[in-house]
Amino acid sequence: MRQPLVAGNWKMNGSRASIAELLGGLKAGIGQVTTAEVAVCAPAIYLADTRAQLDGTPVAWGGQDVSVHASGAYTGEIAGPMLADFGCRFVIIGHSERRAYHGESDQTVAEKFTAAQAAGLVPILCVGETLEEREQGITEQVVARQLDAVIAHCGLDAVGEGVIAYEPVWAIGTGKTATPEQAQEVHAFIRGRLAAVADKVRVLYGGSMNPKNAAELLAQADIDGGLIGGASLKADDFLAVCSAANR
Ligand code: PGA
């Protein structure tokens, strides 16, 4: 059985003070979440604070992006070994905001997947269609292209060691969640595409998941957890989603 995973994506939010409060709340409540694996992906500059508070708790932490390079003259970038140096277990790769605002191509995303694994991190690979693509009826084509690029570059076995997050772009931060049926359909498609490693790869759903809709989404056969943006910024909401992932 795949262990559920709930990962928070704080994006570019928070301050030292607000993060200390959020982590304090998580630490206080995490004892009730017994079976789901839980992680938070912090802005890189707050990883030291995050580590200091979460070390020794069941909550893991991770980054939100990684350079394709391991070191060198790449001003402003964060390398995989640096994330590992701060105890990160996970790193988000190919989030739609990186693809849209930073021009990350499928090839770049594939290279980042490799860079993350080379540093011993577990990549959380984001895939998903825009509203326009869904309306054109090409959701599966888009998701297949995004996945296949990584499979071609890294190999299926490597992909099997990672985590996939299906995040329909139209559902991110909009309050519009995919219905459980819509999400399950794409999750089943993704699993089908993963062939020999399908049974072990966790496929998370992301896009306006919150305490109200989490249970229904997480009840779907191929939804193994969530990548949570807005609702991960409040300890109570995030913990409620984590509890909904318990099996
Ligand atoms: P959201 O973000 O939960 O705020 O929609 C999810 C994500 O972008 O990972």
Side-chain angles (χ1 to χ4, degrees):
M1 196 180 96
R2 297 178 295 270
Q3 186 190 17
L5 168 64
V6 179
N9 174 11
W10 294 348
K11 308 192 179 185
M12 199 176 70
N13 292 298
S15 61
R16 291 192 82 185
S18 72
I19 284 170
E21 191 185 323
L22 172 57
L23 290 171
L26 284 189
K27 273 161 66 174
I30 198 65
Q32 278 106 54
V33 182
T34 48
T35 58
E37 186 176 8
V38 176
V40 294
C41 294
I45 199 161
Y46 295 129
L47 282 172
D49 285 9
T50 302
R51 173 192 212 169
Q53 285 212 57
L54 292 183
D55 220 1
T57 75
V59 183
W61 58 95
Q64 300 176 0
D65 179 37
V66 67
S67 172
V68 299
H69 307 286
S71 69
Y74 304 102
T75 302
E77 296 232 40
I78 311 274
M82 295 174 178
L83 295 174
D85 209 12
F86 279 83
C88 288
R89 171 160 164 72
F90 296 100
V91 61
I92 298 170
I93 303 284
H95 190 280
S96 61
E97 287 150 17
R98 303 279 329 160
R99 294 180 191 257
Y101 309 144
H102 299 271
E104 289 192 10
S105 65
D106 292 333
Q107 180 63 25
T108 303
V109 172
E111 287 171 21
K112 290 187 171 194
F113 193 98
T114 298
Q117 288 189 325
L121 304 164
V122 177
I124 301 176
L125 168 67
C126 299
V127 298
E129 81 289 3
T130 61
L131 182 58
E132 206 188 352
E133 290 163 340
R134 175 160 283 262
E135 284 172 353
Q136 284 171 14
I138 56 170
T139 295
E140 291 188 353
Q141 243 169 285
V142 169
V143 168
R145 190 202 72 223
Q146 292 170 333
L147 269 182
D148 290 354
V150 181
I151 295 170
H153 183 77
C154 312
L156 194 57
D157 287 346
V159 173
E161 301 299 322
V163 174
I164 312 289
Y166 168 57
E167 298 207 309
V169 179
W170 48 273
I172 295 177
T174 58
K176 274 190 219 160
T177 324
T179 64
E181 296 72 27
Q182 277 174 325
Q184 166 58 27
E185 204 182 332
V186 182
H187 278 242
F189 174 76
I190 290 171
R191 204 173 298 289
R193 202 87 189 168
L194 296 173
V197 298
D199 282 347
K200 74 173 189 181
V201 180
R202 290 181 290 188
V203 185
L204 315 183
Y205 170 79
S208 299
M209 199 193 260
N210 60 43
K212 288 208 183 84
N213 58 30
E216 238 193 333
L217 286 159
L218 293 164
Q220 303 300 309
D222 289 297
I223 301 185
D224 304 314
L227 183 56
I228 318 299
S232 73
L233 296 170
K234 285 196 196 131
D236 288 351
D237 286 356
F238 188 59
L239 287 166
V241 175
C242 295
S243 301
N246 263 335
R247 299 249 164 89

